Amino acid sequence: TSTLGSQDIWFDDEVNRLNTDGRGRLLGSFSGDDRIIVMTSKSQYYTTGYDLLHHFPEDTVRVEKYDPDRIYSVAYYDAEQRYYYIKRFTAEMSDRMQSFVDDEHPESQMVVMSEDYAPTLEVTFKGTHATRPAELIDVESFIGVKSHRAKGKRITTYEVDRLRFVEPRLKEPPVPEDLPEDEDPESGAPEESGAPKATDVNETVSKPRSASAKPDQGVGATVAHDDIEFTIERPRGDDDEEADKSPQLDLF
């Protein structure tokens, strides 16, 4: 495959073939190591290159450009549990078929799929629960993104008539808002232009120039600092010996 430039690739679902002639559905622009993802009616998928001679399975139901970050939401029927489940997953790159619905029971099958970021699933009921109002499930809030091997979460215990995705809450992931120009991106708080800087813990704070204590000024001496006089006192202690050993002696 040429890596010098990109080319547009289409998929013609009538013959299950890729082409560059504009027939069918445009998959996107491809170059280098780009891949496509192929999904089948057996709830399986695999990824492959965009070779125009690639042969697709007869039960192919979805072909698109592979995006490792795309989230798929799948509602399916679990024949063993006899309940409907929903799961969200990202597809890992694989040349081999990967099942995203339990394939141990032949009657388990995918019902609906959505690629919206926050899809809305409508659930309607039947049988003894036919009069129950339809439920709308915000799938993004209902269940987190797991592996395609995960079972998912049971949708309901009531008898289901139909599952379908309706207008989603969000089609695409939300775009993060730009930070204000005067905001610190690490702290998230605006910078204060006139705020004093914090003193480093290792920095020695200098004494006022006008306040001077001569070496011979010991305990009890009075020192003048402009209009303020203060006296050097010995720190309190349990006895004189302990006070003399105090590291605060002669501090003022």
Side-chain angles (χ1 to χ4, degrees):
T1 304
S2 173
T3 58
L4 298 178
S6 60
Q7 56 180 333
D8 290 339
I9 301 292
W10 282 261
F11 175 70
D12 187 346
D13 56 5
E14 292 186 1
V15 295
N16 275 3
R17 291 288 184 179
L18 300 176
N19 68 86
T20 58
D21 302 327
R23 299 190 308 272
R25 179 169 52 87
L26 177 64
L27 301 183
S29 181
F30 289 75
S31 65
D33 296 329
D34 288 342
R35 299 174 73 84
I36 60 175
I37 182 170
V38 182
M39 294 188 173
T40 72
S41 60
K42 296 179 182 178
S43 304
Q44 296 176 318
Y45 80 86
Y46 67 94
T47 61
T48 185
Y50 49 98
D51 184 352
L52 300 184
L53 299 179
H54 181 74
H55 176 72
F56 293 87
E58 293 183 1
D59 60 346
T60 296
V61 294
R62 182 185 294 259
V63 176
E64 60 193 15
K65 187 174 183 179
Y66 173 68
D67 180 356
D69 297 324
R70 180 179 291 118
I71 299 174
Y72 296 96
S73 298
V74 174
Y76 71 97
Y77 178 69
D78 187 310
E80 182 179 358
Q81 300 294 328
R82 296 183 180 180
Y83 287 117
Y84 289 89
Y85 285 77
I86 191 164
K87 63 194 304 181
R88 300 173 71 222
F89 65 92
T90 55
E92 63 185 38
M93 189 181 299
S94 175
D95 294 329
R96 300 178 58 184
M97 282 286 192
Q98 301 289 328
S99 296
F100 54 88
V101 169
D102 184 11
D103 57 355
E104 294 183 0
H105 200 295
E107 294 182 10
S108 296
Q109 59 180 342
M110 175 179 63
V111 180
V112 286
M113 172 184 286
S114 174
E115 298 177 12
D116 294 326
Y117 178 78
T120 301
L121 179 68
E122 183 186 63
V123 186
T124 55
F125 306 95
K126 66 180 180 179
T128 57
H129 307 106
T131 58
R132 184 178 179 83
E135 291 186 8
L136 295 178
I137 298 177
D138 183 346
V139 179
E140 191 261 343
S141 301
F142 187 71
I143 186 173
V145 178
K146 307 288 185 180
S147 165
H148 70 274
R149 301 177 183 87
K151 186 174 185 65
K153 187 174 181 180
R154 187 169 60 190
I155 296 173
T156 182
T157 58
Y158 300 124
E159 195 172 359
V160 174
D161 178 45
R162 185 176 64 170
L163 299 174
R164 70 181 185 121
F165 285 109
V166 294
E167 185 65 24
R169 180 169 60 84
L170 286 175
K171 285 184 174 293
E172 303 291 339
V175 179
E177 298 181 358
D178 295 334
L179 294 175
E181 295 182 357
D182 60 344
E183 185 171 325
D184 183 355
E186 294 185 359
S187 65
E191 298 181 355
E192 298 181 5
S193 57
K197 296 182 179 179
T199 303
D200 189 276
V201 293
N202 297 319
E203 181 181 348
T204 302
V205 180
S206 61
K207 300 176 182 178
R209 294 182 179 179
S210 58
S212 59
K214 298 180 180 180
D216 58 349
Q217 291 175 325
V219 176
T222 300
V223 181
H225 173 55
D226 294 339
D227 296 333
I228 302 175
E229 292 186 357
F230 54 92
T231 303
I232 302 175
E233 295 182 352
R234 174 179 295 168
R236 295 180 180 180
D238 293 338
D239 50 47
D240 290 342
E241 182 179 358
E242 183 175 349
D244 289 339
K245 294 179 180 180
S246 172
Q248 299 183 16
L249 186 61
D250 293 340
L251 294 179
F252 60 93

